[in-house]
Amino acid sequence: MRKIAAITGGGQGIGRAIAMAFAQEGYGISIADIDREAGLETVDLLRPYTDDAMFVELDVSKEDEVRDWIERTATDLDGIDVLVNNAGIFQIADVLELSAEQFQRVLSVNLSGAFLCSQAAARMMKKNGRGGSIINMASTRAFMSEPNTEAYSASKGGIAALTHAMAVSLGGYDIRVNSISPGWIEVREWQLSSRKELPVHSETDRNQHPVGRVGKPEDIAAACLYLSSEKAGFITGQNLTIDGGMTIKMIYAED
Ligand SMILES: NC(=O)c1ccc[n+]([C@@H]2O[C@H](COP(=O)([O-])OP(=O)(O)OC[C@H]3O[C@@H](n4cnc5c(N)ncnc54)[C@H](O)[C@@H]3O)[C@@H](O)[C@H]2O)c1
């Protein structure tokens, strides 16, 4: 039976690459994104691989919009087998100036959004009775930081904890829940066509990665496919860091 993958933030960047990879594997695709133009453009890009691709404009932090998306997906495409909680916003703001509202917005999109989508999808997966896989996009910033990234880091640390909590709660419904922590992934070529840019990386950019290059959205998409497959049937509640080794490289500052 053809499987269905639902991907938040699938309009651009890593989410667009994930949608392409699942479509190429024969999945039906449902994309949710706050950017209508980007979401519709991704659906067009999927056409060579599948006729079963849909887009719904929504904000993942809005419970009613999330519930409608999951219901429409299950009705129009026949169930949901995979959910990738990929939508996210980044923020750098002076920790002494950051308002409660600014902090909360990042938590609402990056963390509450993943919870709301997971809860709605898990209810549908339980109803369909064919199990499922949920993948949450965390970040290496869940475990290390630059200055003034409190809201983003907290949201991604929350994702790591949400992942093991939901993996334990949903195991009985044959639903596995894992997270991926990307490092530096170059997404400029994967934006809406009018915003695309050709990336340029310096030797220093490449050399801070033991594999000798910056990451690509395809690196993350391949891991999503693996974690959703039966080959990963004994993996749940885990976080997979995909960063070309950037975070295991010891750095001594030079004068
Ligand atoms: N690119 C990286 O280096 C990197 C590193 C670590 C983690 N991540 C994570 O990977 C995910 C994707 O990042 P990206 O670099 O591809 O970002 P991106 O900005 O290129 O794409 C994010 C997509 O999410 C959508 N989105 C934003 N807010 C939304 C909302 N409230 N509701 C629905 N859709 C919304 C955007 O419209 C966009 O299409 C994010 O969760 C990000 O935190 C990225």
Side-chain angles (χ1 to χ4, degrees):
M1 193 173 93
R2 188 206 44 177
K3 291 190 168 181
I4 308 302
I7 301 152
T8 69
Q12 294 172 105
I14 294 170
R16 178 176 276 191
I18 294 169
M20 295 283 277
F22 276 89
Q24 285 165 3
E25 284 295 308
Y27 280 74
I29 307 289
S30 178
I31 289 168
D33 203 293
I34 204 165
D35 186 325
R36 181 173 185 77
E37 207 183 342
L40 291 173
E41 189 178 87
T42 300
V43 167
D44 279 346
L45 291 171
L46 298 180
R47 290 285 173 231
Y49 310 106
T50 179
D51 290 330
D52 290 324
M54 61 182 273
F55 165 68
V56 172
E57 180 182 351
L58 60 65
D59 179 339
V60 289
S61 69
K62 305 270 166 58
E63 186 176 8
D64 52 341
E65 296 181 13
V66 165
R67 204 180 299 140
D68 285 354
W69 169 51
I70 295 296
E71 273 167 22
R72 277 179 60 187
T73 298
T75 305
D76 294 0
L77 298 181
D78 191 17
I80 292 184
D81 301 281
V82 175
L83 168 71
V84 185
N85 285 309
N86 163 79
I89 50 176
F90 185 60
Q91 181 192 71
I92 294 196
D94 186 329
V95 66
L96 302 182
E97 304 296 331
L98 182 66
S99 71
E101 199 182 336
Q102 289 171 316
F103 183 84
Q104 194 53 55
R105 177 63 185 155
V106 176
L107 269 286
S108 294
V109 174
N110 294 5
L111 182 55
S112 304
F115 169 72
L116 293 171
C117 293
S118 298
Q119 184 189 51
R123 285 173 176 156
M124 194 55 73
M125 288 168 177
K126 180 187 170 206
K127 192 170 150 192
N128 294 337
R130 56 185 206 236
S133 165
I134 296 175
I135 297 168
N136 297 320
M137 217 48 76
S139 167
T140 49
R141 289 171 188 266
F143 311 107
M144 64 192 305
S145 295
E146 286 181 291
N148 300 317
T149 55
E150 280 66 27
Y152 185 81
S153 295
S155 72
K156 296 302 187 178
I159 284 285
L162 179 71
T163 298
H164 63 70
M166 290 194 94
V168 170
S169 302
L170 297 174
Y173 304 114
D174 197 19
I175 299 170
R176 295 182 299 104
V177 187
N178 292 289
S179 63
I180 291 174
S181 285
W184 176 0
I185 307 297
E186 177 54 71
V187 295
R188 280 176 285 183
E189 277 177 297
W190 287 84
Q191 300 302 302
L192 179 68
S193 51
S194 57
R195 291 187 208 127
K196 259 189 201 174
E197 282 175 43
L198 259 191
V200 182
H201 298 129
S202 68
E203 211 179 320
T204 311
D205 294 339
R206 290 189 288 274
N207 286 347
Q208 63 186 297
H209 297 83
V211 302
R213 67 170 173 87
V214 172
K216 301 179 287 189
E218 295 95 317
D219 295 320
I220 307 303
C224 289
L225 274 179
Y226 169 66
L227 286 174
S228 307
S229 74
E230 282 170 21
K231 288 178 189 158
F234 202 51
I235 304 177
T236 195
Q238 299 305 302
N239 176 69
L240 178 59
T241 294
I242 303 179
D243 69 348
M246 188 178 176
T247 57
I248 46 97
K249 187 168 177 181
M250 195 175 283
I251 294 171
Y252 283 97
E254 286 175 30
D255 293 331

